[in-house]
Amino acid sequence: MKNSKLVAILKRLDAMTEATDNDVQVRRFEKDGVEKCLVTYDAATGTFELTESDTQKIYQFDDIDFVAIEIFDLLDV
């Protein structure tokens, strides 16, 4: 059975929420070496901000599941 891509995304996002070295965590999500989005997590507000690399559109989420689904959709295209 192949590992779930969604679980891998959730693990990376969860690591962002648990990190204690900075108030703001940043992760890049790529497909085949091409950046699809940049995600930041602000521990002070408990929110994620996703920036699409192609369009530079910015989305804010306060739910880890919603940001994970958005990342999954961007990586699955």
Side-chain angles (χ1 to χ4, degrees):
M1 178 185 231
K2 194 172 183 180
N3 290 337
S4 169
K5 293 177 189 174
L6 192 54
V7 170
I9 293 168
L10 279 167
K11 284 182 181 179
R12 290 187 68 194
L13 293 173
D14 195 41
M16 293 173 75
T17 65
E18 293 177 359
T20 58
D21 55 338
N22 285 329
D23 283 342
V24 177
Q25 294 289 315
V26 180
R27 299 289 189 280
R28 293 175 42 182
F29 288 85
E30 302 174 348
K31 180 177 181 179
D32 299 327
V34 177
E35 182 180 291
K36 295 296 184 175
C37 66
L38 184 73
V39 177
T40 60
Y41 175 74
D42 185 346
T45 62
T47 58
F48 293 92
E49 184 174 278
L50 181 146
T51 304
E52 287 187 25
S53 298
D54 290 343
T55 63
Q56 294 303 305
K57 288 184 181 180
I58 299 172
Y59 304 95
Q60 292 186 337
F61 301 91
D62 61 0
D63 187 304
I64 195 170
D65 293 326
F66 292 137
V67 71
I69 291 168
E70 187 67 29
I71 295 166
F72 180 83
D73 287 344
L74 286 170
L75 296 177
D76 200 43
V77 174

